[in-house]
Amino acid sequence: MNHDDLRDWSKRAADWAHGYHATLRDKPVRAPLIPGAISRQLPPAPPEAAEPIEAIFADFDRIVPPGLTHWQHPRFFAYFPANAAPASMLAEQLANAIAAQGMIWQTSPAVTEVEQVMVDWLRQALGLPAGFTGTIHDSATTATLSAVLTMREAALDWAGNRDGLSGQPRLRIYASAETHSSVDKAVRVAGIGQENLVKVPTDMTLSMKPGALAGAIAADRAAGYLPAGVVLCAGGTSVGAFDRIADCIAVARAHGLPVHVDAAWAGSAMICPEFRDLWAGVEGAESIVFNPHKWLGAQFDCSVQFLANPAPQIRTLGLRPTYLQTAGREEVVNFNEWTVPLGRRFRALKLWFTLRAYGLEGLRARIRNHVTWSRELAAALAQIPGVRIVTGPALSLFTFALEDDAATEALLSRINDDGRVYLTQTRHQGAYVIRVQVGQFDCTRDDVMSVAEVVKDLI
Ligand code: PLP
């Protein structure tokens, strides 16, 4: 295959994509779960001889779609949708065509400079103060890992990077049990250890108790631990918990600890000023992550980390061997020094296209609709005999259950086997509950309200 063939096949792929998206509503959202059904259709060994693209494309069309859970299906209400607005898909096609690797400014100034401007556009869109700068990661997990590594090194005065962790004091990171498991992963990968992630108790509103945070830090200090930082959640994955950011930051500040705020899915809602009370005080954080690939429609993957001061993270993650230097250009930003991987894709391009093609007003309208429809749906479900709303809408996420765990789990299986909508589960205060998360870029009010119809049919 050469570039002339690529041009022709790209047109075929675009037609295929159009047909795929146009018919999504007719397809079951979740893939049928028969392990091995796809892999056994693939030859066990790679081909020795080249094959025609015609055959490869035909096999793709035959084998892959039946094994897909359709993330762009308008009735996808599971997890949080990884959206892909058409304008962002177009930008991804261009980024693929360019195939630039923007590890340092010199390896494509446009990649770095568009990223700088897009991070600043988003800072303004979310109402964050002018001092914040930032970078784009693949995922919130990587951003949180970067923040935790920085907490570790700042606490150790960068001795961990130099000498390793053995012989260092035991570090402590604080978060509530409502924060995402990416925080647990970060403390493991950072060598801090799961046992040193202190799960601070939450109050009735599911916010971390600031007093309990202060108590845990003081007790740890007295016991000889080295507190290193606090991770707060603004929109937990399970049921949408929000820590009281200002109060918790005040405690962290009083103890000299940096704060990272995980707003992976809910952060996008802050483009709507009326939701900003939910993370009031966030401007006091050292680091904030949110995923435009969730509610803003930028195609996966695209996770933005804002930093009040990038210097500690650059000191933690940045290396500049001779082969990565830009001759005579000390003033430029080399984003690999802000992140774990060296290589980086041109992710900012899809932000540029998406923000311009829909405008902040268009994006706000979607988010406001999702929040409104989520409330309407929760009210409709509450009318169905036997259905109990367990946690009310936190922005566009709520949970419901039947009389007991077994009945709830069985209902969820029936819903997802039925295929008209896709929902997932969590545990809340010990009980098995069904999550409904509205956030798919193309969903309509009818799509959202169809969940009530499906539940009525299957209960
Ligand atoms: N934090 C929260 C609150 C999330 O909801 C998620 C994923 O859904 C993550 C972190 C992890 O996101 P990512 O897949 O970008 O690593």
Side-chain angles (χ1 to χ4, degrees):
M1 186 173 191
N2 59 31
H3 282 280
D4 292 333
D5 300 326
L6 175 61
R7 181 181 53 194
D8 297 341
W9 280 97
S10 295
K11 290 174 186 156
R12 283 275 296 270
D15 287 341
W16 184 95
H18 187 268
Y20 173 72
H21 285 274
T23 54
L24 271 179
R25 262 204 188 77
D26 310 328
K27 299 180 165 70
V29 191
R30 194 190 66 180
L33 303 182
I34 307 164
I38 304 301
S39 57
R40 74 174 141 258
Q41 296 182 66
L42 304 179
E48 290 294 338
E51 297 184 57
I53 293 296
E54 189 77 50
I56 301 170
F57 201 98
D59 284 349
F60 157 76
D61 199 18
R62 182 174 55 85
I63 297 172
V64 173
L68 292 177
T69 292
H70 302 294
W71 279 74
Q72 306 314 318
H73 197 300
R75 295 184 176 184
F76 184 107
F77 305 112
Y79 312 101
F80 196 99
N83 277 308
S88 100
M89 295 177 114
L90 178 63
E92 280 287 70
Q93 287 173 16
L94 296 173
N96 282 342
I98 297 163
Q101 205 276 51
M103 59 189 178
I104 61 176
W105 175 85
Q106 173 175 279
T107 59
S108 269
V111 174
T112 297
E113 294 186 17
V114 176
E115 179 163 337
Q116 289 175 298
V117 176
M118 287 309 107
V119 168
D120 197 59
W121 280 16
L122 289 171
R123 175 194 66 71
Q124 296 173 51
L126 270 55
L128 294 172
F132 276 94
T133 174
T135 191
I136 304 178
H137 298 268
D138 54 356
S139 64
T141 300
T142 309
T144 295
L145 173 62
S146 305
V148 168
L149 288 167
T150 304
M151 289 172 178
R152 182 191 83 186
E153 285 310 300
L156 295 175
D157 196 21
W158 282 272
N161 272 1
R162 192 184 57 238
D163 305 329
L165 295 184
S166 78
Q168 306 289 359
R170 273 180 82 172
L171 297 163
R172 294 290 231 195
I173 300 286
Y174 305 85
S176 91
E178 296 294 327
T179 51
H180 188 264
S181 58
S182 52
V183 182
D184 302 64
K185 188 176 276 190
V187 295
R188 293 175 183 204
V189 175
I192 293 170
Q194 183 77 59
E195 288 298 316
N196 294 312
L197 174 59
V198 180
K199 298 280 172 93
V200 181
T202 51
D203 63 19
M204 296 281 287
T205 67
L206 302 181
S207 160
M208 177 190 284
K209 290 181 179 165
L213 173 63
I217 296 169
D220 280 349
R221 281 231 163 92
Y225 293 104
L226 181 57
V230 180
V231 180
L232 299 177
C233 92
T237 309
S238 184
V239 299
F242 281 83
D243 288 323
R244 286 199 302 281
I245 306 285
D247 295 347
C248 295
I249 287 184
V251 171
R253 192 65 67 248
H255 289 84
L257 298 185
V259 171
H260 170 69
V261 176
D262 178 3
W265 71 264
S268 297
M270 305 310 164
I271 65 171
C272 306
E274 69 271 27
F275 298 134
R276 288 183 193 155
D277 280 355
L278 286 168
W279 74 353
V282 74
E283 61 283 352
E286 275 66 26
S287 166
I288 304 163
V289 63
F290 93 108
N291 285 354
H293 72 232
K294 290 189 158 86
W295 223 348
L296 286 193
Q299 180 159 0
F300 185 83
D301 49 5
C302 186
S303 182
V304 170
Q305 183 190 16
F306 295 106
L307 291 162
N309 171 15
Q313 189 155 312
I314 294 170
R315 190 169 167 200
T316 301
L317 302 178
L319 290 166
R320 203 178 282 188
T322 309
Y323 48 79
L324 291 179
Q325 285 166 9
T326 298
R329 292 262 178 255
E330 275 309 305
E331 77 280 14
V332 296
V333 165
N334 296 312
F335 271 130
N336 80 82
E337 297 170 4
W338 302 42
T339 60
V340 175
L342 171 63
R344 33 202 353 270
R345 306 195 309 110
F346 194 178
R347 296 191 180 91
L349 194 65
K350 59 196 168 195
L351 285 172
W352 194 33
F353 275 52
T354 305
L355 290 170
R356 293 182 65 188
Y358 307 98
L360 288 177
E361 268 313 321
L363 296 169
R364 284 188 195 108
R366 274 191 171 74
I367 289 171
R368 287 176 177 138
N369 279 340
H370 294 172
V371 171
T372 304
W373 298 338
S374 170
R375 289 178 188 153
E376 288 178 29
L377 174 60
L381 284 172
Q383 299 302 312
I384 301 174
V387 172
R388 188 167 48 89
I389 302 299
V390 179
T391 57
L395 293 170
S396 67
L397 168 63
F398 69 90
T399 61
F400 70 96
L402 302 185
E403 68 276 12
D404 59 38
D405 285 3
T408 309
E409 195 168 350
L411 174 65
L412 182 63
S413 285
R414 289 198 296 280
I415 291 171
N416 289 331
D417 289 345
D418 172 85
R420 280 176 283 172
V421 302
Y422 182 26
L423 307 178
T424 47
Q425 74 290 333
T426 189
R427 267 196 189 276
H428 181 61
Q429 295 173 345
Y432 185 99
V433 298
I434 300 176
R435 295 172 75 259
V436 181
Q437 175 88 72
V438 181
Q440 209 285 326
F441 202 74
D442 293 325
C443 73
T444 62
R445 184 178 177 280
D446 283 352
D447 289 319
V448 175
M449 298 312 285
S450 75
V451 173
E453 294 312 309
V454 171
V455 171
K456 265 187 224 157
D457 288 351
L458 300 176
I459 199 168

